[in-house]
Amino acid sequence: MKRTDYISWDEYFMGIALLSAQRSKDSNTQVGACIVSREKKILSLGYNGMPTGCDDDDMPWERDGDPINTKYMYVCHAELNAILNRGDVSLSDSILYVTLFPCNECAKAIIQSGIKEIVYMSDKYADQANTIVSKRLFDMVGIKYRRYEPTGRRIQIEL
């Protein structure tokens, strides 16, 4: 008899995005992304972090102060990292699972890469200009976005 308590595709891919977020060294915000084909195959993963080759210990992680000395000018967002990590794989018509709704800069990269759907967990910056612009851009080009509906399921992984 077949198991009936297996996780859904949304739980699986959002779970992988959440696990990817745990690689982030940002002490305030950990974001993860998982890009999936329509055939339910993982194409790429990403998390928010400093550019490759930049020593995390030498980079600023502060949130406030002179912009040159804050993380915002340096950190690559999870979505952009997932797009850049894809190798030679096409992202055309794919689905992006991400733990935080994409900013306007990531929205542009998402559009250019061919991603057609976004499943997001949090929209905590919904009222900020960069999120409003993201949604406007997605609406203009027909990219669907929907909030992930948590099921309350807990999975414990011992490492």
PDB file of all heavy atoms in Angstrom, residues 99-120:
ATOM      1  N   THR A  99      11.923  32.400   0.002  1.00  0.00           N
ATOM      2  CA  THR A  99      11.401  32.617   1.355  1.00  0.00           C
ATOM      3  C   THR A  99      10.963  34.052   1.607  1.00  0.00           C
ATOM      4  O   THR A  99      10.214  34.304   2.542  1.00  0.00           O
ATOM      5  CB  THR A  99      12.433  32.182   2.413  1.00  0.00           C
ATOM      6  OG1 THR A  99      13.641  32.920   2.241  1.00  0.00           O
ATOM      7  CG2 THR A  99      12.718  30.685   2.296  1.00  0.00           C
ATOM      8  N   LEU A 100      11.403  35.006   0.775  1.00  0.00           N
ATOM      9  CA  LEU A 100      11.017  36.415   0.912  1.00  0.00           C
ATOM     10  C   LEU A 100      10.696  36.967  -0.470  1.00  0.00           C
ATOM     11  O   LEU A 100      11.438  36.713  -1.424  1.00  0.00           O
ATOM     12  CB  LEU A 100      12.165  37.216   1.544  1.00  0.00           C
ATOM     13  CG  LEU A 100      11.929  38.699   1.814  1.00  0.00           C
ATOM     14  CD1 LEU A 100      10.796  38.910   2.816  1.00  0.00           C
ATOM     15  CD2 LEU A 100      13.215  39.352   2.321  1.00  0.00           C
ATOM     16  N   PHE A 101       9.602  37.734  -0.585  1.00  0.00           N
ATOM     17  CA  PHE A 101       9.204  38.260  -1.899  1.00  0.00           C
ATOM     18  C   PHE A 101      10.361  39.045  -2.511  1.00  0.00           C
ATOM     19  O   PHE A 101      11.008  39.844  -1.844  1.00  0.00           O
ATOM     20  CB  PHE A 101       7.965  39.156  -1.769  1.00  0.00           C
ATOM     21  CG  PHE A 101       7.281  39.365  -3.080  1.00  0.00           C
ATOM     22  CD1 PHE A 101       6.271  38.518  -3.492  1.00  0.00           C
ATOM     23  CD2 PHE A 101       7.666  40.397  -3.928  1.00  0.00           C
ATOM     24  CE1 PHE A 101       5.649  38.687  -4.726  1.00  0.00           C
ATOM     25  CE2 PHE A 101       7.058  40.580  -5.162  1.00  0.00           C
ATOM     26  CZ  PHE A 101       6.042  39.719  -5.558  1.00  0.00           C
ATOM     27  N   PRO A 102      10.625  38.853  -3.800  1.00  0.00           N
ATOM     28  CA  PRO A 102      11.776  39.488  -4.450  1.00  0.00           C
ATOM     29  C   PRO A 102      11.695  41.015  -4.518  1.00  0.00           C
ATOM     30  O   PRO A 102      10.628  41.587  -4.711  1.00  0.00           O
ATOM     31  CB  PRO A 102      11.744  38.913  -5.871  1.00  0.00           C
ATOM     32  CG  PRO A 102      10.923  37.675  -5.771  1.00  0.00           C
ATOM     33  CD  PRO A 102       9.927  37.930  -4.693  1.00  0.00           C
ATOM     34  N   CYS A 103      12.858  41.646  -4.401  1.00  0.00           N
ATOM     35  CA  CYS A 103      12.973  43.095  -4.573  1.00  0.00           C
ATOM     36  C   CYS A 103      12.923  43.440  -6.061  1.00  0.00           C
ATOM     37  O   CYS A 103      12.963  42.549  -6.923  1.00  0.00           O
ATOM     38  CB  CYS A 103      14.276  43.602  -3.953  1.00  0.00           C
ATOM     39  SG  CYS A 103      15.760  43.156  -4.901  1.00  0.00           S
ATOM     40  N   ASN A 104      12.886  44.717  -6.380  1.00  0.00           N
ATOM     41  CA  ASN A 104      12.798  45.143  -7.779  1.00  0.00           C
ATOM     42  C   ASN A 104      14.035  44.765  -8.592  1.00  0.00           C
ATOM     43  O   ASN A 104      13.924  44.451  -9.781  1.00  0.00           O
ATOM     44  CB  ASN A 104      12.542  46.650  -7.872  1.00  0.00           C
ATOM     45  CG  ASN A 104      13.680  47.465  -7.303  1.00  0.00           C
ATOM     46  OD1 ASN A 104      14.034  47.314  -6.134  1.00  0.00           O
ATOM     47  ND2 ASN A 104      14.255  48.329  -8.102  1.00  0.00           N
ATOM     48  N   GLU A 105      15.201  44.775  -7.979  1.00  0.00           N
ATOM     49  CA  GLU A 105      16.414  44.395  -8.713  1.00  0.00           C
ATOM     50  C   GLU A 105      16.376  42.912  -9.076  1.00  0.00           C
ATOM     51  O   GLU A 105      16.704  42.528 -10.199  1.00  0.00           O
ATOM     52  CB  GLU A 105      17.671  44.728  -7.907  1.00  0.00           C
ATOM     53  CG  GLU A 105      17.930  46.211  -7.765  1.00  0.00           C
ATOM     54  CD  GLU A 105      18.144  46.912  -9.102  1.00  0.00           C
ATOM     55  OE1 GLU A 105      18.838  46.354  -9.987  1.00  0.00           O
ATOM     56  OE2 GLU A 105      17.610  48.021  -9.278  1.00  0.00           O
ATOM     57  N   CYS A 106      15.952  42.081  -8.141  1.00  0.00           N
ATOM     58  CA  CYS A 106      15.829  40.652  -8.434  1.00  0.00           C
ATOM     59  C   CYS A 106      14.692  40.405  -9.413  1.00  0.00           C
ATOM     60  O   CYS A 106      14.779  39.503 -10.251  1.00  0.00           O
ATOM     61  CB  CYS A 106      15.622  39.855  -7.148  1.00  0.00           C
ATOM     62  SG  CYS A 106      17.117  39.768  -6.130  1.00  0.00           S
ATOM     63  N   ALA A 107      13.636  41.211  -9.336  1.00  0.00           N
ATOM     64  CA  ALA A 107      12.508  41.066 -10.265  1.00  0.00           C
ATOM     65  C   ALA A 107      12.995  41.199 -11.703  1.00  0.00           C
ATOM     66  O   ALA A 107      12.579  40.435 -12.583  1.00  0.00           O
ATOM     67  CB  ALA A 107      11.425  42.094  -9.960  1.00  0.00           C
ATOM     68  N   LYS A 108      13.877  42.154 -11.949  1.00  0.00           N
ATOM     69  CA  LYS A 108      14.392  42.339 -13.307  1.00  0.00           C
ATOM     70  C   LYS A 108      15.167  41.111 -13.769  1.00  0.00           C
ATOM     71  O   LYS A 108      15.011  40.662 -14.908  1.00  0.00           O
ATOM     72  CB  LYS A 108      15.254  43.604 -13.372  1.00  0.00           C
ATOM     73  CG  LYS A 108      14.433  44.880 -13.190  1.00  0.00           C
ATOM     74  CD  LYS A 108      15.276  46.124 -13.347  1.00  0.00           C
ATOM     75  CE  LYS A 108      15.913  46.519 -12.041  1.00  0.00           C
ATOM     76  NZ  LYS A 108      16.629  47.809 -12.114  1.00  0.00           N
ATOM     77  N   ALA A 109      15.984  40.548 -12.898  1.00  0.00           N
ATOM     78  CA  ALA A 109      16.752  39.340 -13.245  1.00  0.00           C
ATOM     79  C   ALA A 109      15.811  38.145 -13.440  1.00  0.00           C
ATOM     80  O   ALA A 109      16.027  37.323 -14.339  1.00  0.00           O
ATOM     81  CB  ALA A 109      17.785  39.045 -12.158  1.00  0.00           C
ATOM     82  N   ILE A 110      14.775  38.061 -12.638  1.00  0.00           N
ATOM     83  CA  ILE A 110      13.783  36.982 -12.766  1.00  0.00           C
ATOM     84  C   ILE A 110      13.107  37.065 -14.129  1.00  0.00           C
ATOM     85  O   ILE A 110      12.981  36.062 -14.840  1.00  0.00           O
ATOM     86  CB  ILE A 110      12.757  37.057 -11.613  1.00  0.00           C
ATOM     87  CG1 ILE A 110      13.425  36.643 -10.295  1.00  0.00           C
ATOM     88  CG2 ILE A 110      11.524  36.209 -11.907  1.00  0.00           C
ATOM     89  CD1 ILE A 110      12.635  37.023  -9.047  1.00  0.00           C
ATOM     90  N   ILE A 111      12.687  38.250 -14.506  1.00  0.00           N
ATOM     91  CA  ILE A 111      12.034  38.450 -15.801  1.00  0.00           C
ATOM     92  C   ILE A 111      12.990  38.076 -16.932  1.00  0.00           C
ATOM     93  O   ILE A 111      12.625  37.322 -17.843  1.00  0.00           O
ATOM     94  CB  ILE A 111      11.548  39.906 -15.942  1.00  0.00           C
ATOM     95  CG1 ILE A 111      10.411  40.173 -14.959  1.00  0.00           C
ATOM     96  CG2 ILE A 111      11.140  40.203 -17.384  1.00  0.00           C
ATOM     97  CD1 ILE A 111      10.082  41.647 -14.760  1.00  0.00           C
ATOM     98  N   GLN A 112      14.207  38.583 -16.876  1.00  0.00           N
ATOM     99  CA  GLN A 112      15.177  38.330 -17.939  1.00  0.00           C
ATOM    100  C   GLN A 112      15.539  36.851 -18.060  1.00  0.00           C
ATOM    101  O   GLN A 112      15.864  36.374 -19.134  1.00  0.00           O
ATOM    102  CB  GLN A 112      16.447  39.149 -17.708  1.00  0.00           C
ATOM    103  CG  GLN A 112      16.264  40.642 -17.861  1.00  0.00           C
ATOM    104  CD  GLN A 112      15.887  41.046 -19.263  1.00  0.00           C
ATOM    105  OE1 GLN A 112      14.716  41.138 -19.611  1.00  0.00           O
ATOM    106  NE2 GLN A 112      16.888  41.274 -20.102  1.00  0.00           N
ATOM    107  N   SER A 113      15.479  36.111 -16.951  1.00  0.00           N
ATOM    108  CA  SER A 113      15.881  34.699 -16.959  1.00  0.00           C
ATOM    109  C   SER A 113      14.806  33.770 -17.506  1.00  0.00           C
ATOM    110  O   SER A 113      15.087  32.622 -17.820  1.00  0.00           O
ATOM    111  CB  SER A 113      16.267  34.253 -15.553  1.00  0.00           C
ATOM    112  OG  SER A 113      15.114  34.144 -14.738  1.00  0.00           O
ATOM    113  N   GLY A 114      13.559  34.242 -17.592  1.00  0.00           N
ATOM    114  CA  GLY A 114      12.486  33.409 -18.137  1.00  0.00           C
ATOM    115  C   GLY A 114      11.636  32.702 -17.103  1.00  0.00           C
ATOM    116  O   GLY A 114      10.747  31.922 -17.457  1.00  0.00           O
ATOM    117  N   ILE A 115      11.878  32.950 -15.826  1.00  0.00           N
ATOM    118  CA  ILE A 115      11.043  32.366 -14.763  1.00  0.00           C
ATOM    119  C   ILE A 115       9.622  32.885 -14.953  1.00  0.00           C
ATOM    120  O   ILE A 115       9.417  34.061 -15.208  1.00  0.00           O
ATOM    121  CB  ILE A 115      11.617  32.734 -13.373  1.00  0.00           C
ATOM    122  CG1 ILE A 115      12.966  32.045 -13.161  1.00  0.00           C
ATOM    123  CG2 ILE A 115      10.628  32.386 -12.264  1.00  0.00           C
ATOM    124  CD1 ILE A 115      13.750  32.538 -11.961  1.00  0.00           C
ATOM    125  N   LYS A 116       8.632  32.001 -14.798  1.00  0.00           N
ATOM    126  CA  LYS A 116       7.242  32.374 -15.074  1.00  0.00           C
ATOM    127  C   LYS A 116       6.330  32.347 -13.848  1.00  0.00           C
ATOM    128  O   LYS A 116       5.185  32.785 -13.927  1.00  0.00           O
ATOM    129  CB  LYS A 116       6.644  31.455 -16.139  1.00  0.00           C
ATOM    130  CG  LYS A 116       7.292  31.606 -17.490  1.00  0.00           C
ATOM    131  CD  LYS A 116       7.083  32.994 -18.051  1.00  0.00           C
ATOM    132  CE  LYS A 116       7.693  33.116 -19.431  1.00  0.00           C
ATOM    133  NZ  LYS A 116       8.023  34.481 -19.774  1.00  0.00           N
ATOM    134  N   GLU A 117       6.818  31.838 -12.731  1.00  0.00           N
ATOM    135  CA  GLU A 117       5.978  31.781 -11.533  1.00  0.00           C
ATOM    136  C   GLU A 117       6.851  31.907 -10.295  1.00  0.00           C
ATOM    137  O   GLU A 117       7.975  31.400 -10.268  1.00  0.00           O
ATOM    138  CB  GLU A 117       5.196  30.466 -11.484  1.00  0.00           C
ATOM    139  CG  GLU A 117       4.231  30.363 -10.335  1.00  0.00           C
ATOM    140  CD  GLU A 117       3.405  29.086 -10.352  1.00  0.00           C
ATOM    141  OE1 GLU A 117       3.399  28.354 -11.360  1.00  0.00           O
ATOM    142  OE2 GLU A 117       2.757  28.816  -9.317  1.00  0.00           O
ATOM    143  N   ILE A 118       6.313  32.582  -9.275  1.00  0.00           N
ATOM    144  CA  ILE A 118       7.017  32.756  -8.006  1.00  0.00           C
ATOM    145  C   ILE A 118       6.110  32.281  -6.890  1.00  0.00           C
ATOM    146  O   ILE A 118       4.941  32.668  -6.815  1.00  0.00           O
ATOM    147  CB  ILE A 118       7.398  34.235  -7.788  1.00  0.00           C
ATOM    148  CG1 ILE A 118       8.331  34.696  -8.901  1.00  0.00           C
ATOM    149  CG2 ILE A 118       8.030  34.438  -6.413  1.00  0.00           C
ATOM    150  CD1 ILE A 118       8.431  36.181  -9.041  1.00  0.00           C
ATOM    151  N   VAL A 119       6.662  31.440  -6.032  1.00  0.00           N
ATOM    152  CA  VAL A 119       5.978  31.010  -4.818  1.00  0.00           C
ATOM    153  C   VAL A 119       6.821  31.553  -3.675  1.00  0.00           C
ATOM    154  O   VAL A 119       7.996  31.211  -3.551  1.00  0.00           O
ATOM    155  CB  VAL A 119       5.859  29.474  -4.737  1.00  0.00           C
ATOM    156  CG1 VAL A 119       5.121  29.062  -3.473  1.00  0.00           C
ATOM    157  CG2 VAL A 119       5.181  28.905  -5.977  1.00  0.00           C
ATOM    158  N   TYR A 120       6.247  32.430  -2.873  1.00  0.00           N
ATOM    159  CA  TYR A 120       7.005  33.089  -1.817  1.00  0.00           C
ATOM    160  C   TYR A 120       6.392  32.788  -0.450  1.00  0.00           C
ATOM    161  O   TYR A 120       5.202  32.523  -0.330  1.00  0.00           O
ATOM    162  CB  TYR A 120       7.061  34.601  -2.050  1.00  0.00           C
ATOM    163  CG  TYR A 120       5.707  35.275  -2.017  1.00  0.00           C
ATOM    164  CD1 TYR A 120       5.211  35.824  -0.837  1.00  0.00           C
ATOM    165  CD2 TYR A 120       4.908  35.345  -3.152  1.00  0.00           C
ATOM    166  CE1 TYR A 120       3.963  36.428  -0.802  1.00  0.00           C
ATOM    167  CE2 TYR A 120       3.672  35.944  -3.124  1.00  0.00           C
ATOM    168  CZ  TYR A 120       3.201  36.479  -1.949  1.00  0.00           C
ATOM    169  OH  TYR A 120       1.966  37.065  -1.895  1.00  0.00           O
TER     170      TYR A 120
END
